[in-house]
Amino acid sequence: MRTLLLASALFAGLIGSLAAVPVPPGPAPYSAFCRTVWLFAKPCTEVSTTIVQQIQEFSPLIGCDECQYMLVSATPLSIKANHTTIEGLQAENITLSLSNTKTTGGCRVAAQSTSLGFTSLLDDGLNYCNLYNLLSVSGLNRSPGFMEMTNEWACLGYGLATCKA
Ligand SMILES: *[C@@H]1O[C@H](CO)[C@@H](O)[C@H](O)[C@H]1NC(C)=O
Ligand SMILES: *[C@@H]1O[C@H](CO)[C@@H](O)[C@H](O)[C@H]1NC(C)=O
């Protein structure tokens, strides 16, 4: 019970701080979202090329419900895309901000997937998997030094989601 209360307090705190400080491109209140940070022991140019290629390969393949990604824009340090389900009932914006870590020659990626419109706060790990599928299919999650940093408060479904791709 105490854990639950603490959890509720933390969750309320997170919602409260998001509401108080509009952090662009933050999620609209009550939209499901996942924010995560990835570290790689390789330069951002390589990471970004792989992710952009993966998004393009994922672009609408009929019959692949996990694969409805569309690239919106890509610069060396910023990638924007979206993801829709085949039925077109749900859509999520995906934003990746890359920064080279000067001391180690690696790359840090702040990734976010946000449901558009009013959606259930129980998204079944959809937003998490939108991001993670890009890594697992391209193999980036098996590249040297890969590390993911997030938690269930920043990323709905983290730790529970079973991503299909
Ligand atoms: C997704 O991005 C594509 C390409 O920019 C755009 O044509 C489409 O309308 C976007 N879909 C949604 C649901 O935002
Ligand atoms: C989703 O992404 C599109 C294209 O980048 C942008 O125009 C739109 O404002 C975004 N919507 C939300 C709710 O962030």
Side-chain angles (χ1 to χ4, degrees):
M1 190 58 196
R2 185 184 289 176
T3 313
L4 188 64
L5 284 175
L6 179 61
S8 309
L10 285 170
F11 191 64
L14 180 69
I15 299 288
S17 60
L18 288 175
V21 189
V23 191
Y30 310 117
S31 297
F33 67 95
C34 171
R35 284 179 178 179
T36 184
V37 170
W38 299 324
L39 300 180
F40 300 94
K42 53 174 155 190
C44 286
T45 47
E46 284 180 40
V47 174
S48 138
T49 303
T50 305
I51 292 176
V52 169
Q53 278 172 359
Q54 191 58 61
I55 291 171
Q56 286 170 332
E57 279 173 30
F58 269 160
S59 289
L61 292 170
I62 301 305
C64 177
D65 201 29
E66 312 304 318
C67 304
Q68 308 295 306
Y69 290 79
M70 302 255 275
L71 189 65
V72 173
S73 66
T75 67
L77 296 179
S78 165
I79 300 168
K80 289 186 187 203
N82 64 38
H83 176 268
T84 50
T85 57
I86 273 189
E87 305 82 40
L89 295 175
Q90 287 177 307
E92 305 86 38
N93 269 4
I94 295 170
T95 310
L96 306 177
S97 304
L98 298 85
S99 47
N100 287 297
T101 55
K102 292 189 182 60
T103 47
T104 58
C107 183
R108 178 187 186 278
V109 182
Q112 176 164 341
S113 173
T114 311
S115 293
L116 300 177
F118 182 87
T119 47
S120 167
L121 279 174
L122 299 169
D123 74 345
D124 250 345
L126 174 72
N127 281 291
Y128 175 69
C129 292
N130 280 348
L131 301 173
Y132 198 77
N133 287 345
L134 293 173
L135 300 183
S136 59
V137 177
S138 66
L140 272 176
N141 62 336
R142 296 182 295 279
S143 68
F146 171 71
M147 189 186 284
E148 179 171 62
M149 295 182 293
T150 187
N151 61 43
E152 61 205 274
W153 311 114
C155 178
L156 195 65
Y158 177 70
L160 302 172
T162 310
C163 304
K164 293 191 197 106

